[in-house]
């Protein structure tokens, strides 16, 4: 068939070229002459520009779009038919023929009609026949006329052959055969030889197609030019555009959407193009065109919904494609895609992701196999013995196998047979037929979906894993931080232990040393003896104090200290503390000034602990004051709901950077630990804990050489603070 069409094209081409040359150089004086003369006609002049091509520019653009779509979607079907040819050479010849075909059609379509129109300007002639006959006839060139006639005839036959065969193949493969094979009672699958049936169906449908063509020509076609009939079908083809383009580029496009779009599109197309032509042919009443369907103004086939100003074709293109697309998109958006659709959509849209650009092979399972005999039998039923033998031998030669001996056909062989069979009965049917023969079940779509789902799950898992490992990393970070903190705490504990033992050892050593002296020297005089004993007593007092402090601190930190809460007059506590330290003050000749309100200042708290705070602050002040010049001021102020106590000295002061750390355990900033007699570095730590327990604050204001002021606050008992203290006392226990 391809050879026949190629030959026909050559004949046609020669005929057209002959006419073209004859007209251009025989009747006129070359191209420029033709164009110059054409420009003199007003109604031809406009054909040289775009201003008034066929009504309006919108018309022109819409026609262009439709033609583009027609090329795309009919070319696709051409290619898919072409794919069935297995040999590369035949594919090439196909392409060559189609190129030739296209070339000479352009030649005749673009050039000849213009010349003809010019020649017959003002006369009423049939535009379709312009090219074929008039010129040579006018010039009375009989031989040329004959050649042109042969060319035209061959063009027409070629067209008829190509189209009828294509159509009848489609009717046979995609309509009749699947239907017949599905009708189980016909038992077609059991029949030995189906070639006869196939041929009959093909031939029948060829006759049917030609008859339909003839009837259309007879009843409808004569009212229209060839061009408008062609355009009518172009518009029909264009209805596939939304669904096909959507299928390629849009994942959400669904089957229902595509169906809806197609149905709407075709309905609008049918109503606006073929239907009016039937009306013109007299099959329906003329009023439908003038007054609309059922007399509704909006439903006039050429002015749908009142649209004016378009040509008939572009009017149809506009409405059918618009409504088609709207239908496709809306239904797609509102319908749920099935699993299969989802996966097919992602397979189509992300085709390169799945294949890396490689053509997807058929999805028979890797182990699909069948007996070569079975395949041969199957193919023979549709192609006949001769053709089947040919196919098999050819395959065997290429793959260097002896198919008659090889009992099992491999996946590749099965695929090949399927493709050949698809050429005869269509791909859907071929798949089903092969599936019945092949031992291994073909991968059903469900299975494909399952595989895809698994892949998706794996992907999801990977994502989950990534998430988890990120979380783990975070946790590890936290753990590391916690670990560091623990190590630090551990180090602090070690420090604490070593400091405590160190602190304990110093007094212990001196106690022991002096005791030994006393023990070894009974003859020591009484004064010395007294002196040593007083040191021993002082040191053991220091030991006791230190141990008590450590115990206190430990209890406070572990919240096991037994607080004895009661109503306390804080002025009285201050006075008692002063009295307790009066001896020390007198020894160092330190002046004091105490500023207390006359009325008692009640707070709720642990009296002994508050006493401890005062003693600690006062003894620190004494310790860091110079004797003789030293001066200590004590002040109690009542500020709204709390009292503030200041202990001010004019001693050595504390550097800014040390003012916070002196409240921590074992922090002594003046000299080495233990070098200050009576100091342990625990006093302020304990003080702060006691104040904080009473919900107060403690701070220091100081500068080196300018003395220090330690201040703390306590809530007053007559305020609501009372309950709070009680409560937290309970909590602490
Ligand atoms: P210590 O029992 O050794 O005095 P504290 O915790 O009471 O321990 O004090 C910690 C450190 O704070 C002291 O070693 C000292 O360096 C500093 N300090 C405390 N009170 C004063 C003050 N009134 N003047 C200057 N330095 C002070």
């Amino acid at each position: 068939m391809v050879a026949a069409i190629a030959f026909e094209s050559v004949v046609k081409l020669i005929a057209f070229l002959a006419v073209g040359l004859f007209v251009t150089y025989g009747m006129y004086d070359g191209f420029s002459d033709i164009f110059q003369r054409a420009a003199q006609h007003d109604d031809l002049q406009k054909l040289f520009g775009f201003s008034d091509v066929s009504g309006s520019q919108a018309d022109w653009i819409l026609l262009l779009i439709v033609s583009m779509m027609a090329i795309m979607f009919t070319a696709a079907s051409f290619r898919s038919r072409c794919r069935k040819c297995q040999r590369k050479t035949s594919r090439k010849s196909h392409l060559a023929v189609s190129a030739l075909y296209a070339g000479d059609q352009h030649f005749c379509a673009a050039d000849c009609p213009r010349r003809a129109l010019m020649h017959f300007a003002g006369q009423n002639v049939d535009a379709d026949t312009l090219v074929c006959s008039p010129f040579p006839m006018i010039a009375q060139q009989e031989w040329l006329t004959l050649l042109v006639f042969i060319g035209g005839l061959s063009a027409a036959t070629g067209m008829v052959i190509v189209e009828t065969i294509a159509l009848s193949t489609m009717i046979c493969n995609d309509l009749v055969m699947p239907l017949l094979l599905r009708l189980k009672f016909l038992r077609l699958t059991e029949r030995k030889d189906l070639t006869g049936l196939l041929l009959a169906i093909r031939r029948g449908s060829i006759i049917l197609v030609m008859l339909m063509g003839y009837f259309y020509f007879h009843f409808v076609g004569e009212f229209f030019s060839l061009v408008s009939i062609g355009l009518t079908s172009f518009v029909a083809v264009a209805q596939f555009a939304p669904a096909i383009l959507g299928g390629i580029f849009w994942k959400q496009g669904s089957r229902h959407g595509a169906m809806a779009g197609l149905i709407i599109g075709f309905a609008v197309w049918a109503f606006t193009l073929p239907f009016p032509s039937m009306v013109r042919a007299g099959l329906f009443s003329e009023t439908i065109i003038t007054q609309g369907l059922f007399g509704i103004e909006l439903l006039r086939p050429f002015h749908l919904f009142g649209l004016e100003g378009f040509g008939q074709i572009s009017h149809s293109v506009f409405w059918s494609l618009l409504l088609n697309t709207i239908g496709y998109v809306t239904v797609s958006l509102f319908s749920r895609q099935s699993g299969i659709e989802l996966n097919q959509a992602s397979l189509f849209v992300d085709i390169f992701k799945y294949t890396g650009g490689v053509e997807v092979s058929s999805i028979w399972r890797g182990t699909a196999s069948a007996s070569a005999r079975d395949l041969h039998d199957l193919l023979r039923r549709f192609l006949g013995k001769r053709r089947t033998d040919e196919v098999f031998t050819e395959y065997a030669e290429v793959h260097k196998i002896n198919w008659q001996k090889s009992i099992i056909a491999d996946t590749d062989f099965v695929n090949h047979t399927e493709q050949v069979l698809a050429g005869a009965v269509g791909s859907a049917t071929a798949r089903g037929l092969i599936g019945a023969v092949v031992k291994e079940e073909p991968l059903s779509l469900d299975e494909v979906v399952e595989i895809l789902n698994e892949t998706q799950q794996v992907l999801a898992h990977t994502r989950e894993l990534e998430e988890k490992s990120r979380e783990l990393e975070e946790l590890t970070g936290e753990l590391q931080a916690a670990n560091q903190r623990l190590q630090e705490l551990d180090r602090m504990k070690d420090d604490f232990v070593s400091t405590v033992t160190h602190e304990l050892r110093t007094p212990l050593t001196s106690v022991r040393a002096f005791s030994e002296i006393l023990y070894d020297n009974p003859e020591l005089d009484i004064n010395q003896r007294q002196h040593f004993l007083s040191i021993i007593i002082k040191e053991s007092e220091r030991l006791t104090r230190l141990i008590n402090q450590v115990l206190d601190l430990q209890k406070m930190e572990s919240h096991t200290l037994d607080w004895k809460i009661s109503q306390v007059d804080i002025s009285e506590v201050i006075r008692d503390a002063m009295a307790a330290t009066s001896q020390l003050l007198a020894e160092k000749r330190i002046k004091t000034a105490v500023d207390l309100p006359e009325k008692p200042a009640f707070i709720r708290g642990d009296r002994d602990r508050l006493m401890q705070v005062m003693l600690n602050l006062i003894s620190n002040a004494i310790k860091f004051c110079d004797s003789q010049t030293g001066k200590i001021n004590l002040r109690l102020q009542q500020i709204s709901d709390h009292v503030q106590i200041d202990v001010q000295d004019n001693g050595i002061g504390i550097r800014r950077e040390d003012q916070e750390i002196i409240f921590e355990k074992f922090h002594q900033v003046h000299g080495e630990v233990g070098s200050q007699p009576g100091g342990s570095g625990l006093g302020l730590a304990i003080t702060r804990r006691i104040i904080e327990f009473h919900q107060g604050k403690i701070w220091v204001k100081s500068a080196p050489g300018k003395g220090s002021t330690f201040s703390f606050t306590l809530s007053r008992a007559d305020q609501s603070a009372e309950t709070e203290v009680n409560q937290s006392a309970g909590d602490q226990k």
Side-chain angles (χ1 to χ4, degrees), residues 228-481:
S228 79
I229 294 174
L231 281 175
T232 302
S233 52
F234 277 11
V235 179
V237 169
Q239 300 310 316
F240 290 110
I244 293 183
L245 292 179
I248 296 174
F249 295 111
W250 189 42
K251 273 191 202 172
Q252 261 144 286
S254 75
R255 194 168 69 96
H256 293 295
M259 285 313 268
L262 282 178
I263 290 170
I264 296 173
F266 276 115
V268 175
W269 166 79
F271 181 64
T272 50
L273 284 178
F275 178 66
S277 69
M278 289 179 201
V279 172
R280 292 240 177 115
L283 296 177
F284 298 97
S285 143
E286 201 50 59
T287 52
I288 296 180
I289 292 187
T290 49
Q291 289 161 19
L293 193 66
F294 311 123
I296 304 170
E297 271 274 303
L298 289 180
L299 295 182
R300 282 177 299 164
F302 293 141
H303 302 285
L304 200 59
F305 307 121
L307 185 72
E308 307 275 350
F310 274 112
Q312 291 173 13
I313 298 284
S314 33
H315 168 267
S316 171
V317 173
F318 176 78
W319 279 123
S320 60
L321 278 186
L322 180 73
L323 297 177
N324 179 339
T325 312
I326 291 177
Y328 171 56
V329 172
T330 4
V331 175
S332 289
L333 286 179
F334 285 102
S335 66
R336 260 181 58 117
Q337 282 174 305
S338 67
I340 291 177
E341 279 178 85
L342 269 175
N343 285 294
Q344 281 186 333
S346 64
L347 263 176
F348 257 83
V349 177
D350 302 329
I351 180 75
F352 293 109
K353 210 163 85 190
Y354 285 97
T355 61
V358 182
E359 216 171 327
V360 205
S361 68
S362 190
I363 39 178
W364 293 101
R365 248 180 229 166
T367 51
S369 62
S371 111
R373 271 270 139 236
D374 287 350
L375 286 180
H376 188 272
D377 285 349
L378 177 68
L379 212 54
R380 207 184 55 196
R381 273 154 52 200
F382 293 91
L383 297 187
K385 182 161 167 30
R386 198 172 55 88
R387 178 87 186 99
T388 308
D389 282 349
E390 257 173 46
V391 168
F392 272 51
T393 325
E394 199 177 286
Y395 181 87
E397 263 169 29
V398 174
H399 291 83
K400 311 228 174 341
I401 51 164
N402 185 346
W403 70 267
Q404 268 148 332
K405 279 199 190 138
S406 72
I407 304 160
I408 298 295
D410 63 358
T411 318
D412 199 37
F413 201 174
V414 175
N415 276 335
H416 181 71
T417 318
E418 189 194 326
Q419 273 168 358
V420 176
L421 193 59
V425 293
S427 46
T429 313
R431 166 133 303 216
L433 288 171
I434 293 276
V437 177
V438 169
K439 292 284 177 303
E440 182 72 279
E441 282 278 291
L443 270 187
S444 71
L445 259 178
D446 281 341
E447 283 171 292
V448 178
V449 169
E450 205 168 285
I451 293 174
L452 283 172
N453 276 341
E454 272 167 28
T455 324
Q456 274 174 350
Q457 273 170 10
V458 169
L459 278 178
H461 268 129
T462 322
R463 232 169 286 139
E464 239 170 64
L465 275 179
E466 273 167 15
E467 175 77 5
K468 286 235 169 74
S469 72
R470 208 177 45 73
E471 275 170 23
L472 267 178
E473 261 166 40
E474 259 171 37
L475 269 177
T476 319
E478 276 169 34
L479 265 178
Q480 269 170 348

Side-chain angles (χ1 to χ4, degrees), residues 620 623-624 649 654 662 667-670 679-681 683-684 708:
N620 272 352
K623 199 159 41 175
F624 298 103
D649 64 61
I654 306 159
I662 52 171
H667 273 288
Q668 293 179 312
V669 292
H670 300 107
S680 64
L684 283 178
S708 328

